[in-house]
């Protein structure tokens, strides 16, 4: 399979199949999972993004454990809706997933979701709602941003 539009993604994915949401960053990749009913998104883990090979292997393991091939990756658009260098980095990561599909138990199917302000919303929740200290936030901020990306996708 490949990278598909959101509409095609919904057509391809059976209702009972889980979806993983990813918040791709230069240092870490936040991972979240949607329930099969698609009514909730929950944090899973953070993948250290030190090398591409290690990050892809970790992602493949998570996808196998969650029995899914479906990924929603946050696309960091500029506030005016254009794509900058960060968006290109995310697209490159998605292309690398597809180039290394032999690592995955099933061929990945990927779509992108606008992630503008997802990290800001995640930080706001951790500070205001949970009163979490800065040193604790860094361990979960990427996972919560992935939850926000997935929640936005599920709301469509």
């Amino acid at each position: 399979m490949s990278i598909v539009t959101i509409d095609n993604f919904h057509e391809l994915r059976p209702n009972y199949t889980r979806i993983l949401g990813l918040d791709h960053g230069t240092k870490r990749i936040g991972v979240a999972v949607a329930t099969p009913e698609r009514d909730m998104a929950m944090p899973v883990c953070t993948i250290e993004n030190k090398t591409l090979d290690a990050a892809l292997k970790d992602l493949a393991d998570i996808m196998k454990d969650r029995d899914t091939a479906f990924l929603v990756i946050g696309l960091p658009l500029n506030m005016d809706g254009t794509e900058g260098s960060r968006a290109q980095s995310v697209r490159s990561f998605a292309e690398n997933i597809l180039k290394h599909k032999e690592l995955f138990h099933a061929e990945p199917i990927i779509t992108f979701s606008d992630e503008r302000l997802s990290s800001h919303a995640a930080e706001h929740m951790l500070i205001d709602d949970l009163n979490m200290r800065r040193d604790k936030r860094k361990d979960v901020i990427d996972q919560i941003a992935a939850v926000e990306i997935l929640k936005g996708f599920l709301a469509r």
Side-chain angles (χ1 to χ4, degrees), residues 98-117:
L98 298 175
K99 284 180 190 172
H100 295 90
K101 60 186 174 190
E102 72 280 354
L103 296 173
F104 298 85
H105 78 288
E107 191 167 347
I109 300 170
I110 301 168
T111 195
F112 297 107
S113 185
D114 183 353
E115 77 155 29
R116 282 179 281 188
L117 302 178

Side-chain angles (χ1 to χ4, degrees), residues 69-139:
F70 297 93
L71 296 172
V72 175
I73 304 176
L75 190 63
L77 300 174
N78 296 322
M79 291 310 286
D80 64 2
T82 60
E83 292 188 18
S85 60
R86 288 195 57 234
Q88 184 51 50
S89 175
V90 168
R91 288 191 182 278
S92 177
F93 179 70
E95 290 168 8
N96 277 309
I97 291 170
L98 298 175
K99 284 180 190 172
H100 295 90
K101 60 186 174 190
E102 72 280 354
L103 296 173
F104 298 85
H105 78 288
E107 191 167 347
I109 300 170
I110 301 168
T111 195
F112 297 107
S113 185
D114 183 353
E115 77 155 29
R116 282 179 281 188
L117 302 178
S118 65
S119 293
H120 177 49
E123 187 150 13
H124 174 75
M125 184 192 78
L126 293 173
I127 293 171
D128 295 342
D129 298 344
L130 299 176
N131 198 26
M132 190 176 283
R133 293 187 348 230
R134 179 183 303 270
D135 61 327
K136 300 287 183 186
R137 285 194 311 259
K138 74 178 182 91
D139 295 333

